[in-house]
Amino acid sequence: MKLRLIPACLLLCFCAAARQPYMDRWRAVADRLITTPPESYPFNWGEGVQLIGLMKIHERTRDARYADYVEKWAARFDAAAAGRILREGLNPPRSRAGYCGHWSPATALFYLDRVRRKPEHLRIAEEVIGYIRNTAERSPEGALGHWQGSHQLWVDTLYMACPLLAAFGSPDEAARQVILFARPLQDEKTGLFYHMWDWQTRQRSPDLWGRGNGWVLMSIADSFDGLRKKHPQYRELKAIAEKLARGLQTTQDADGLWHTVMNDHTAYAESSATMMVTYGLLKLVRLKILPRAYREPALRAWKAVNEKYVKDGVVTGVSAGTGPGDRASYIARAVGTETWGTGAYLMAGSEVDRLK
């Protein structure tokens, strides 16, 4: 049988179809971000997520400008400065000592050290990981508190700690944290997570916060990095992931979005929660933790956010910083552009890019 040559125009069409959509917007968001002065960003949680996102797009594109930007930001700090921020906060004496929001920038610096190999980057990350391991407040069971004296587990804390623990060779401790948090916070019926549990009062916040479930899913996905299948916590962590993924699948709206109150579609749709879930689902599918079928809701979410919330290199539809509360407090949060939303979008795009 004689093979026919495929015309070049058709080959181009096939190649274009093979590419995932909206990757030009993904690059545009990163390119817009690096035009902002790096010194405008403090050593804080939203900025940490944003820098992690930049390192994720650098990993996929090898565009040196993204790592250059993170390195310029890092040059403003050293291990001693990071230690002071951990102990005292950014604005003492009003800051909460040991606040976990000051941990996530170290993850970005660890990723930076992989490609730039400067000891000052690693020393800052080591200062933070040492604080998490040796000094941070913990519940009687060993779960990480949100700040010194809080006596509370907030789901946000998981993402501040778990990727860094896994990166520094402690995926078992990262997995243990997720398991400890799941016991009081994962809803038995829906599989979704509540925002906060107080281990002194034994009370938890009443509603299922959208971005909080995104924090958890990303933490689970990153905790599986380096966790061997034979590890005793592997199966328990996988069960938590499967239960959460089922709950997320049932609460996604017809457009592909998730809402600021997960099980209430009258609450507004929220882009950072949606992108965090997208990242988590795609990574867990890639790691063969979740079935391939979860790609479809993740890619619907990617399309929906790009169509509705991404324009001219800016990601909108992101709720402001959010403490534990009830439905009314969640839907009252202002919505706009935030560092953590930009970071979550860049992270989600890094997993979409892997599909090509």
Side-chain angles (χ1 to χ4, degrees), residues 57-84:
I57 190 171
H58 173 268
E59 181 184 13
R60 298 302 305 156
T61 65
R62 295 300 172 185
D63 189 327
R65 296 175 304 147
Y66 304 143
D68 289 345
Y69 186 88
V70 179
E71 190 165 8
K72 289 175 185 175
W73 176 88
R76 300 169 52 232
F77 305 98
D78 58 20
R84 284 194 301 272

Side-chain angles (χ1 to χ4, degrees), residues 179-324:
I179 292 166
L180 290 173
F181 273 65
R183 289 170 186 168
L185 287 171
Q186 188 169 30
D187 182 59
E188 186 63 34
K189 182 178 180 181
T190 65
L192 300 171
F193 277 70
Y194 293 93
H195 193 161
M196 181 275 291
W197 180 70
D198 188 305
W199 67 74
Q200 289 190 332
T201 66
R202 318 298 286 184
Q203 298 295 310
R204 71 183 180 192
S205 52
D207 286 293
L208 301 164
W209 177 41
R211 188 161 61 236
N213 281 272
W215 290 129
V216 175
L217 193 70
M218 291 201 304
S219 302
I220 292 171
D222 287 351
S223 295
F224 273 109
D225 285 335
L227 193 68
R228 294 174 297 173
K229 283 188 175 183
K230 292 183 179 179
H231 194 281
Q233 291 170 323
Y234 184 96
R235 188 171 296 178
E236 188 172 1
L237 186 63
K238 186 173 186 290
I240 292 169
E242 291 169 339
K243 193 173 180 180
L244 175 56
R246 288 193 295 269
L248 291 167
Q249 193 170 30
T250 63
T251 51
Q252 188 177 29
D253 72 18
D255 292 333
L257 300 164
W258 280 276
H259 292 243
T260 198
V261 179
M262 272 286 174
N263 56 347
D264 182 358
H265 286 186
T266 66
Y268 62 81
E270 207 275 329
S271 64
S272 72
T274 302
M275 289 295 90
M276 289 176 179
V277 172
T278 299
Y279 171 83
L281 290 179
L282 289 177
K283 183 169 182 177
L284 287 167
V285 169
R286 174 167 63 85
L287 296 177
K288 297 182 170 56
I289 307 300
L290 292 178
R292 190 183 179 93
Y294 280 102
R295 275 188 183 178
E296 188 275 332
L299 291 177
R300 280 201 297 124
W302 175 248
K303 178 179 185 294
V305 166
N306 275 286
E307 289 291 333
K308 188 171 183 178
Y309 298 114
V310 182
K311 185 178 180 181
D312 299 327
V314 176
V315 181
T316 61
V318 184
S319 64
T322 306

Side-chain angles (χ1 to χ4, degrees), residues 120-150:
E120 54 266 37
H121 302 150
L122 193 58
R123 279 197 291 267
I124 296 172
E126 287 172 340
E127 182 76 20
V128 177
I129 194 71
Y131 187 91
I132 294 171
R133 286 171 171 166
N134 305 317
T135 309
E137 182 184 56
R138 291 177 183 259
S139 72
E141 296 79 18
L144 290 162
H146 204 58
W147 68 86
Q148 293 289 357
S150 69

